[in-house]
Amino acid sequence: MDQPLASRAELATELATVRARRAELREALGAFERALAAAAVGRAVVWGEAVHAGVLELADEFGTHVEITEGPDGLHQSILAGDLRLANAVDALTAEHAQIAAEIAELVADSEAPVGDEDVDGLREQGNRVLGHLIRHRQRGADLIYEAYETDIGGGD
């Protein structure tokens, strides 16, 4: 069954917004990953400040991602309006939002200055765990969109 022209145009606009937000979230992930990977020996305070700034940016981008997907006119509502069989996948991604947001908030608090040499390994481990969760979440989100719309939204690179 063909969608009305207005619906296809709205869908195209919505998916363009999702693509743009994915690219911005991917950029924040990359910046945070670079901050975590930077040398910290003998410069833990500076390293910690960069990590903290990176996780703050990541928190902001992730918050926007949650608003766009979970909002009343968000992507999840659009997906469910088109295909209720995807409700479990939408629910799983929504639950991940809460978990990832909590992990990011914990990392924001833990990376508050001053960061000492003794904090670096733990913060790196914590940060890499958050990165892994976010990367897997983005992959599952892309799979859901493909299943809902048969559209590849790409990696945002």
mmCIF file of all heavy atoms in Angstrom, residues 84-131:
data_model
loop_
_atom_site.group_PDB
_atom_site.id
_atom_site.type_symbol
_atom_site.label_atom_id
_atom_site.label_comp_id
_atom_site.label_asym_id
_atom_site.label_seq_id
_atom_site.Cartn_x
_atom_site.Cartn_y
_atom_site.Cartn_z
ATOM 1 N N LEU A 84 2.885 -1.906 14.815
ATOM 2 C CA LEU A 84 2.876 -2.235 16.247
ATOM 3 C C LEU A 84 3.712 -3.463 16.596
ATOM 4 O O LEU A 84 4.103 -3.626 17.751
ATOM 5 C CB LEU A 84 1.446 -2.430 16.745
ATOM 6 C CG LEU A 84 0.671 -1.143 16.999
ATOM 7 C CD1 LEU A 84 -0.757 -1.458 17.413
ATOM 8 C CD2 LEU A 84 1.351 -0.300 18.058
ATOM 9 N N ARG A 85 4.032 -4.301 15.610
ATOM 10 C CA ARG A 85 4.844 -5.483 15.911
ATOM 11 C C ARG A 85 6.253 -5.093 16.347
ATOM 12 O O ARG A 85 6.988 -5.897 16.917
ATOM 13 C CB ARG A 85 4.891 -6.445 14.730
ATOM 14 C CG ARG A 85 5.713 -5.963 13.578
ATOM 15 C CD ARG A 85 5.693 -6.893 12.380
ATOM 16 N NE ARG A 85 6.340 -6.238 11.273
ATOM 17 C CZ ARG A 85 7.653 -6.211 11.065
ATOM 18 N NH1 ARG A 85 8.458 -6.830 11.887
ATOM 19 N NH2 ARG A 85 8.156 -5.571 10.028
ATOM 20 N N LEU A 86 6.626 -3.846 16.155
ATOM 21 C CA LEU A 86 7.959 -3.365 16.549
ATOM 22 C C LEU A 86 7.963 -2.790 17.963
ATOM 23 O O LEU A 86 8.967 -2.235 18.405
ATOM 24 C CB LEU A 86 8.460 -2.327 15.542
ATOM 25 C CG LEU A 86 8.629 -2.853 14.108
ATOM 26 C CD1 LEU A 86 8.996 -1.722 13.160
ATOM 27 C CD2 LEU A 86 9.658 -3.971 14.058
ATOM 28 N N ALA A 87 6.866 -2.942 18.689
ATOM 29 C CA ALA A 87 6.749 -2.363 20.037
ATOM 30 C C ALA A 87 7.821 -2.893 20.991
ATOM 31 O O ALA A 87 8.370 -2.128 21.791
ATOM 32 C CB ALA A 87 5.358 -2.629 20.611
ATOM 33 N N ASN A 88 8.139 -4.178 20.910
ATOM 34 C CA ASN A 88 9.166 -4.721 21.805
ATOM 35 C C ASN A 88 10.526 -4.094 21.535
ATOM 36 O O ASN A 88 11.273 -3.792 22.465
ATOM 37 C CB ASN A 88 9.240 -6.245 21.699
ATOM 38 C CG ASN A 88 8.049 -6.925 22.332
ATOM 39 O OD1 ASN A 88 7.365 -6.362 23.175
ATOM 40 N ND2 ASN A 88 7.790 -8.163 21.915
ATOM 41 N N ALA A 89 10.863 -3.896 20.274
ATOM 42 C CA ALA A 89 12.148 -3.282 19.925
ATOM 43 C C ALA A 89 12.181 -1.823 20.388
ATOM 44 O O ALA A 89 13.202 -1.357 20.913
ATOM 45 C CB ALA A 89 12.390 -3.371 18.421
ATOM 46 N N VAL A 90 11.083 -1.112 20.228
ATOM 47 C CA VAL A 90 10.995 0.275 20.695
ATOM 48 C C VAL A 90 11.126 0.321 22.216
ATOM 49 O O VAL A 90 11.872 1.142 22.753
ATOM 50 C CB VAL A 90 9.677 0.940 20.227
ATOM 51 C CG1 VAL A 90 9.432 2.259 20.944
ATOM 52 C CG2 VAL A 90 9.700 1.148 18.716
ATOM 53 N N ASP A 91 10.431 -0.571 22.897
ATOM 54 C CA ASP A 91 10.525 -0.622 24.365
ATOM 55 C C ASP A 91 11.944 -0.909 24.828
ATOM 56 O O ASP A 91 12.420 -0.327 25.809
ATOM 57 C CB ASP A 91 9.566 -1.671 24.936
ATOM 58 C CG ASP A 91 8.103 -1.276 24.814
ATOM 59 O OD1 ASP A 91 7.820 -0.089 24.532
ATOM 60 O OD2 ASP A 91 7.243 -2.163 24.992
ATOM 61 N N ALA A 92 12.632 -1.803 24.138
ATOM 62 C CA ALA A 92 14.009 -2.147 24.514
ATOM 63 C C ALA A 92 14.930 -0.941 24.337
ATOM 64 O O ALA A 92 15.764 -0.653 25.208
ATOM 65 C CB ALA A 92 14.508 -3.327 23.679
ATOM 66 N N LEU A 93 14.777 -0.219 23.239
ATOM 67 C CA LEU A 93 15.614 0.969 23.016
ATOM 68 C C LEU A 93 15.305 2.052 24.045
ATOM 69 O O LEU A 93 16.212 2.732 24.534
ATOM 70 C CB LEU A 93 15.422 1.507 21.596
ATOM 71 C CG LEU A 93 16.079 0.670 20.498
ATOM 72 C CD1 LEU A 93 15.637 1.163 19.133
ATOM 73 C CD2 LEU A 93 17.588 0.686 20.620
ATOM 74 N N THR A 94 14.043 2.204 24.386
ATOM 75 C CA THR A 94 13.653 3.185 25.398
ATOM 76 C C THR A 94 14.264 2.833 26.756
ATOM 77 O O THR A 94 14.770 3.709 27.463
ATOM 78 C CB THR A 94 12.119 3.282 25.483
ATOM 79 O OG1 THR A 94 11.613 3.687 24.206
ATOM 80 C CG2 THR A 94 11.679 4.291 26.527
ATOM 81 N N ALA A 95 14.242 1.564 27.108
ATOM 82 C CA ALA A 95 14.853 1.122 28.373
ATOM 83 C C ALA A 95 16.364 1.386 28.358
ATOM 84 O O ALA A 95 16.946 1.788 29.371
ATOM 85 C CB ALA A 95 14.571 -0.354 28.617
ATOM 86 N N GLU A 96 16.985 1.191 27.208
ATOM 87 C CA GLU A 96 18.419 1.474 27.087
ATOM 88 C C GLU A 96 18.693 2.953 27.301
ATOM 89 O O GLU A 96 19.743 3.310 27.850
ATOM 90 C CB GLU A 96 18.942 1.048 25.716
ATOM 91 C CG GLU A 96 19.095 -0.436 25.562
ATOM 92 C CD GLU A 96 19.594 -0.832 24.179
ATOM 93 O OE1 GLU A 96 20.048 0.040 23.408
ATOM 94 O OE2 GLU A 96 19.533 -2.037 23.878
ATOM 95 N N HIS A 97 17.780 3.811 26.873
ATOM 96 C CA HIS A 97 17.966 5.249 27.085
ATOM 97 C C HIS A 97 18.171 5.546 28.563
ATOM 98 O O HIS A 97 19.075 6.292 28.936
ATOM 99 C CB HIS A 97 16.776 6.042 26.558
ATOM 100 C CG HIS A 97 16.716 6.130 25.076
ATOM 101 N ND1 HIS A 97 15.587 6.535 24.419
ATOM 102 C CD2 HIS A 97 17.638 5.891 24.112
ATOM 103 C CE1 HIS A 97 15.807 6.527 23.119
ATOM 104 N NE2 HIS A 97 17.054 6.132 22.910
ATOM 105 N N ALA A 98 17.328 4.970 29.397
ATOM 106 C CA ALA A 98 17.436 5.223 30.839
ATOM 107 C C ALA A 98 18.754 4.699 31.390
ATOM 108 O O ALA A 98 19.425 5.375 32.183
ATOM 109 C CB ALA A 98 16.253 4.585 31.568
ATOM 110 N N GLN A 99 19.147 3.506 30.968
ATOM 111 C CA GLN A 99 20.393 2.914 31.447
ATOM 112 C C GLN A 99 21.602 3.734 30.999
ATOM 113 O O GLN A 99 22.492 4.041 31.795
ATOM 114 C CB GLN A 99 20.527 1.474 30.942
ATOM 115 C CG GLN A 99 21.842 0.822 31.345
ATOM 116 C CD GLN A 99 22.074 -0.516 30.668
ATOM 117 O OE1 GLN A 99 21.299 -0.961 29.838
ATOM 118 N NE2 GLN A 99 23.171 -1.167 31.022
ATOM 119 N N ILE A 100 21.643 4.091 29.730
ATOM 120 C CA ILE A 100 22.781 4.844 29.197
ATOM 121 C C ILE A 100 22.839 6.236 29.814
ATOM 122 O O ILE A 100 23.922 6.720 30.168
ATOM 123 C CB ILE A 100 22.726 4.902 27.656
ATOM 124 C CG1 ILE A 100 22.953 3.495 27.066
ATOM 125 C CG2 ILE A 100 23.751 5.894 27.107
ATOM 126 C CD1 ILE A 100 22.641 3.386 25.578
ATOM 127 N N ALA A 101 21.692 6.884 29.968
ATOM 128 C CA ALA A 101 21.672 8.209 30.591
ATOM 129 C C ALA A 101 22.218 8.144 32.016
ATOM 130 O O ALA A 101 22.977 9.037 32.430
ATOM 131 C CB ALA A 101 20.254 8.779 30.584
ATOM 132 N N ALA A 102 21.880 7.095 32.749
ATOM 133 C CA ALA A 102 22.392 6.935 34.119
ATOM 134 C C ALA A 102 23.904 6.721 34.103
ATOM 135 O O ALA A 102 24.629 7.291 34.933
ATOM 136 C CB ALA A 102 21.694 5.773 34.814
ATOM 137 N N GLU A 103 24.399 5.934 33.166
ATOM 138 C CA GLU A 103 25.838 5.694 33.055
ATOM 139 C C GLU A 103 26.580 6.985 32.706
ATOM 140 O O GLU A 103 27.656 7.254 33.252
ATOM 141 C CB GLU A 103 26.130 4.631 31.998
ATOM 142 C CG GLU A 103 25.681 3.243 32.392
ATOM 143 C CD GLU A 103 25.853 2.222 31.278
ATOM 144 O OE1 GLU A 103 26.358 2.568 30.188
ATOM 145 O OE2 GLU A 103 25.474 1.062 31.494
ATOM 146 N N ILE A 104 26.012 7.751 31.800
ATOM 147 C CA ILE A 104 26.639 9.027 31.421
ATOM 148 C C ILE A 104 26.647 9.973 32.610
ATOM 149 O O ILE A 104 27.662 10.627 32.886
ATOM 150 C CB ILE A 104 25.932 9.647 30.195
ATOM 151 C CG1 ILE A 104 26.205 8.807 28.939
ATOM 152 C CG2 ILE A 104 26.388 11.089 29.983
ATOM 153 C CD1 ILE A 104 25.401 9.223 27.720
ATOM 154 N N ALA A 105 25.531 10.064 33.328
ATOM 155 C CA ALA A 105 25.456 10.947 34.501
ATOM 156 C C ALA A 105 26.486 10.548 35.558
ATOM 157 O O ALA A 105 27.132 11.413 36.174
ATOM 158 C CB ALA A 105 24.049 10.923 35.097
ATOM 159 N N GLU A 106 26.660 9.264 35.754
ATOM 160 C CA GLU A 106 27.661 8.785 36.709
ATOM 161 C C GLU A 106 29.069 9.179 36.257
ATOM 162 O O GLU A 106 29.897 9.619 37.063
ATOM 163 C CB GLU A 106 27.561 7.267 36.858
ATOM 164 C CG GLU A 106 28.510 6.691 37.885
ATOM 165 C CD GLU A 106 28.354 5.179 38.043
ATOM 166 O OE1 GLU A 106 27.434 4.581 37.460
ATOM 167 O OE2 GLU A 106 29.192 4.609 38.765
ATOM 168 N N LEU A 107 29.326 9.060 34.972
ATOM 169 C CA LEU A 107 30.639 9.428 34.442
ATOM 170 C C LEU A 107 30.877 10.932 34.534
ATOM 171 O O LEU A 107 31.998 11.369 34.817
ATOM 172 C CB LEU A 107 30.788 8.936 33.001
ATOM 173 C CG LEU A 107 32.162 9.076 32.363
ATOM 174 C CD1 LEU A 107 33.260 8.435 33.210
ATOM 175 C CD2 LEU A 107 32.143 8.468 30.965
ATOM 176 N N VAL A 108 29.843 11.720 34.317
ATOM 177 C CA VAL A 108 29.970 13.175 34.483
ATOM 178 C C VAL A 108 30.403 13.470 35.915
ATOM 179 O O VAL A 108 31.339 14.239 36.154
ATOM 180 C CB VAL A 108 28.642 13.899 34.146
ATOM 181 C CG1 VAL A 108 28.658 15.337 34.644
ATOM 182 C CG2 VAL A 108 28.379 13.864 32.642
ATOM 183 N N ALA A 109 29.749 12.861 36.880
ATOM 184 C CA ALA A 109 30.079 13.099 38.291
ATOM 185 C C ALA A 109 31.477 12.591 38.627
ATOM 186 O O ALA A 109 32.253 13.279 39.306
ATOM 187 C CB ALA A 109 29.045 12.426 39.192
ATOM 188 N N ASP A 110 31.817 11.406 38.140
ATOM 189 C CA ASP A 110 33.112 10.805 38.471
ATOM 190 C C ASP A 110 34.289 11.530 37.823
ATOM 191 O O ASP A 110 35.415 11.434 38.313
ATOM 192 C CB ASP A 110 33.141 9.332 38.063
ATOM 193 C CG ASP A 110 32.233 8.467 38.927
ATOM 194 O OD1 ASP A 110 31.734 8.961 39.967
ATOM 195 O OD2 ASP A 110 32.013 7.302 38.544
ATOM 196 N N SER A 111 34.037 12.248 36.726
ATOM 197 C CA SER A 111 35.125 12.940 36.033
ATOM 198 C C SER A 111 35.262 14.405 36.443
ATOM 199 O O SER A 111 36.060 15.140 35.861
ATOM 200 C CB SER A 111 34.935 12.834 34.510
ATOM 201 O OG SER A 111 33.749 13.501 34.095
ATOM 202 N N GLU A 112 34.508 14.804 37.453
ATOM 203 C CA GLU A 112 34.641 16.173 37.972
ATOM 204 C C GLU A 112 36.075 16.404 38.441
ATOM 205 O O GLU A 112 36.701 15.510 39.005
ATOM 206 C CB GLU A 112 33.685 16.388 39.155
ATOM 207 C CG GLU A 112 32.234 16.407 38.787
ATOM 208 C CD GLU A 112 31.680 17.793 38.531
ATOM 209 O OE1 GLU A 112 32.321 18.773 38.905
ATOM 210 O OE2 GLU A 112 30.599 17.858 37.946
ATOM 211 N N ALA A 113 36.567 17.600 38.234
ATOM 212 C CA ALA A 113 37.934 17.948 38.645
ATOM 213 C C ALA A 113 38.029 17.966 40.157
ATOM 214 O O ALA A 113 37.047 18.248 40.841
ATOM 215 C CB ALA A 113 38.307 19.312 38.060
ATOM 216 N N PRO A 114 39.168 17.680 40.685
ATOM 217 C CA PRO A 114 40.392 17.299 39.971
ATOM 218 C C PRO A 114 40.467 15.789 39.784
ATOM 219 O O PRO A 114 40.065 15.013 40.645
ATOM 220 C CB PRO A 114 41.497 17.772 40.904
ATOM 221 C CG PRO A 114 40.912 17.623 42.271
ATOM 222 C CD PRO A 114 39.425 17.891 42.112
ATOM 223 N N VAL A 115 41.001 15.384 38.649
ATOM 224 C CA VAL A 115 41.260 13.982 38.356
ATOM 225 C C VAL A 115 42.732 13.740 38.628
ATOM 226 O O VAL A 115 43.592 14.480 38.155
ATOM 227 C CB VAL A 115 40.911 13.646 36.888
ATOM 228 C CG1 VAL A 115 41.418 12.272 36.504
ATOM 229 C CG2 VAL A 115 39.411 13.745 36.668
ATOM 230 N N GLY A 116 43.015 12.712 39.396
ATOM 231 C CA GLY A 116 44.399 12.365 39.705
ATOM 232 C C GLY A 116 44.852 11.150 38.918
ATOM 233 O O GLY A 116 44.048 10.461 38.275
ATOM 234 N N ASP A 117 46.157 10.883 38.970
ATOM 235 C CA ASP A 117 46.714 9.722 38.266
ATOM 236 C C ASP A 117 45.999 8.431 38.651
ATOM 237 O O ASP A 117 45.802 7.549 37.817
ATOM 238 C CB ASP A 117 48.210 9.579 38.568
ATOM 239 C CG ASP A 117 49.050 10.682 37.933
ATOM 240 O OD1 ASP A 117 48.641 11.211 36.873
ATOM 241 O OD2 ASP A 117 50.105 11.019 38.500
ATOM 242 N N GLU A 118 45.592 8.335 39.917
ATOM 243 C CA GLU A 118 44.932 7.122 40.405
ATOM 244 C C GLU A 118 43.522 6.949 39.838
ATOM 245 O O GLU A 118 42.939 5.865 39.930
ATOM 246 C CB GLU A 118 44.878 7.119 41.942
ATOM 247 C CG GLU A 118 43.963 8.172 42.553
ATOM 248 C CD GLU A 118 44.539 9.601 42.613
ATOM 249 O OE1 GLU A 118 45.685 9.840 42.187
ATOM 250 O OE2 GLU A 118 43.805 10.473 43.100
ATOM 251 N N ASP A 119 42.969 7.997 39.220
ATOM 252 C CA ASP A 119 41.604 7.949 38.672
ATOM 253 C C ASP A 119 41.551 7.554 37.200
ATOM 254 O O ASP A 119 40.490 7.169 36.701
ATOM 255 C CB ASP A 119 40.936 9.324 38.818
ATOM 256 C CG ASP A 119 40.873 9.801 40.249
ATOM 257 O OD1 ASP A 119 40.541 8.979 41.125
ATOM 258 O OD2 ASP A 119 41.161 11.001 40.484
ATOM 259 N N VAL A 120 42.677 7.681 36.513
ATOM 260 C CA VAL A 120 42.685 7.554 35.056
ATOM 261 C C VAL A 120 42.184 6.189 34.581
ATOM 262 O O VAL A 120 41.291 6.109 33.729
ATOM 263 C CB VAL A 120 44.091 7.870 34.486
ATOM 264 C CG1 VAL A 120 44.172 7.538 32.998
ATOM 265 C CG2 VAL A 120 44.445 9.332 34.725
ATOM 266 N N ASP A 121 42.747 5.108 35.099
ATOM 267 C CA ASP A 121 42.361 3.780 34.606
ATOM 268 C C ASP A 121 40.872 3.504 34.823
ATOM 269 O O ASP A 121 40.196 2.985 33.931
ATOM 270 C CB ASP A 121 43.195 2.689 35.283
ATOM 271 C CG ASP A 121 44.638 2.664 34.797
ATOM 272 O OD1 ASP A 121 44.924 3.217 33.717
ATOM 273 O OD2 ASP A 121 45.484 2.081 35.512
ATOM 274 N N GLY A 122 40.365 3.859 35.978
ATOM 275 C CA GLY A 122 38.951 3.635 36.258
ATOM 276 C C GLY A 122 38.042 4.451 35.349
ATOM 277 O O GLY A 122 37.027 3.952 34.862
ATOM 278 N N LEU A 123 38.419 5.712 35.121
ATOM 279 C CA LEU A 123 37.612 6.553 34.233
ATOM 280 C C LEU A 123 37.666 6.047 32.799
ATOM 281 O O LEU A 123 36.651 6.081 32.091
ATOM 282 C CB LEU A 123 38.068 8.010 34.308
ATOM 283 C CG LEU A 123 37.670 8.755 35.575
ATOM 284 C CD1 LEU A 123 38.319 10.134 35.615
ATOM 285 C CD2 LEU A 123 36.154 8.873 35.681
ATOM 286 N N ARG A 124 38.834 5.589 32.370
ATOM 287 C CA ARG A 124 38.927 5.035 31.009
ATOM 288 C C ARG A 124 38.038 3.810 30.868
ATOM 289 O O ARG A 124 37.328 3.666 29.864
ATOM 290 C CB ARG A 124 40.376 4.668 30.681
ATOM 291 C CG ARG A 124 41.159 5.796 30.121
ATOM 292 C CD ARG A 124 42.419 5.314 29.439
ATOM 293 N NE ARG A 124 43.086 6.452 28.845
ATOM 294 C CZ ARG A 124 44.363 6.734 28.996
ATOM 295 N NH1 ARG A 124 45.140 5.951 29.714
ATOM 296 N NH2 ARG A 124 44.878 7.792 28.406
ATOM 297 N N GLU A 125 38.075 2.930 31.851
ATOM 298 C CA GLU A 125 37.247 1.730 31.800
ATOM 299 C C GLU A 125 35.764 2.104 31.767
ATOM 300 O O GLU A 125 34.987 1.585 30.965
ATOM 301 C CB GLU A 125 37.553 0.843 33.006
ATOM 302 C CG GLU A 125 36.817 -0.475 32.977
ATOM 303 C CD GLU A 125 37.204 -1.367 34.143
ATOM 304 O OE1 GLU A 125 38.400 -1.443 34.475
ATOM 305 O OE2 GLU A 125 36.277 -1.967 34.717
ATOM 306 N N GLN A 126 35.387 3.013 32.632
ATOM 307 C CA GLN A 126 33.996 3.469 32.704
ATOM 308 C C GLN A 126 33.585 4.133 31.381
ATOM 309 O O GLN A 126 32.500 3.871 30.851
ATOM 310 C CB GLN A 126 33.892 4.459 33.866
ATOM 311 C CG GLN A 126 32.529 4.843 34.291
ATOM 312 C CD GLN A 126 32.578 5.790 35.494
ATOM 313 O OE1 GLN A 126 33.651 6.170 35.989
ATOM 314 N NE2 GLN A 126 31.420 6.182 35.960
ATOM 315 N N GLY A 127 34.440 4.985 30.852
ATOM 316 C CA GLY A 127 34.142 5.670 29.600
ATOM 317 C C GLY A 127 34.029 4.717 28.426
ATOM 318 O O GLY A 127 33.136 4.852 27.579
ATOM 319 N N ASN A 128 34.920 3.733 28.362
ATOM 320 C CA ASN A 128 34.859 2.753 27.276
ATOM 321 C C ASN A 128 33.610 1.894 27.367
ATOM 322 O O ASN A 128 33.040 1.510 26.352
ATOM 323 C CB ASN A 128 36.123 1.896 27.251
ATOM 324 C CG ASN A 128 37.291 2.651 26.654
ATOM 325 O OD1 ASN A 128 37.140 3.368 25.673
ATOM 326 N ND2 ASN A 128 38.456 2.505 27.257
ATOM 327 N N ARG A 129 33.162 1.615 28.573
ATOM 328 C CA ARG A 129 31.910 0.868 28.762
ATOM 329 C C ARG A 129 30.725 1.686 28.213
ATOM 330 O O ARG A 129 29.862 1.161 27.512
ATOM 331 C CB ARG A 129 31.732 0.532 30.238
ATOM 332 C CG ARG A 129 30.727 -0.534 30.522
ATOM 333 C CD ARG A 129 30.739 -1.043 31.974
ATOM 334 N NE ARG A 129 30.990 -0.029 32.995
ATOM 335 C CZ ARG A 129 32.133 0.068 33.697
ATOM 336 N NH1 ARG A 129 33.123 -0.772 33.488
ATOM 337 N NH2 ARG A 129 32.266 1.007 34.615
ATOM 338 N N VAL A 130 30.706 2.977 28.524
ATOM 339 C CA VAL A 130 29.647 3.855 28.008
ATOM 340 C C VAL A 130 29.701 3.905 26.485
ATOM 341 O O VAL A 130 28.670 3.803 25.816
ATOM 342 C CB VAL A 130 29.758 5.273 28.615
ATOM 343 C CG1 VAL A 130 28.879 6.267 27.880
ATOM 344 C CG2 VAL A 130 29.406 5.251 30.097
ATOM 345 N N LEU A 131 30.900 4.058 25.926
ATOM 346 C CA LEU A 131 31.036 4.075 24.470
ATOM 347 C C LEU A 131 30.490 2.796 23.844
ATOM 348 O O LEU A 131 29.761 2.849 22.852
ATOM 349 C CB LEU A 131 32.504 4.262 24.071
ATOM 350 C CG LEU A 131 33.079 5.650 24.218
ATOM 351 C CD1 LEU A 131 34.595 5.624 23.992
ATOM 352 C CD2 LEU A 131 32.420 6.625 23.261
#
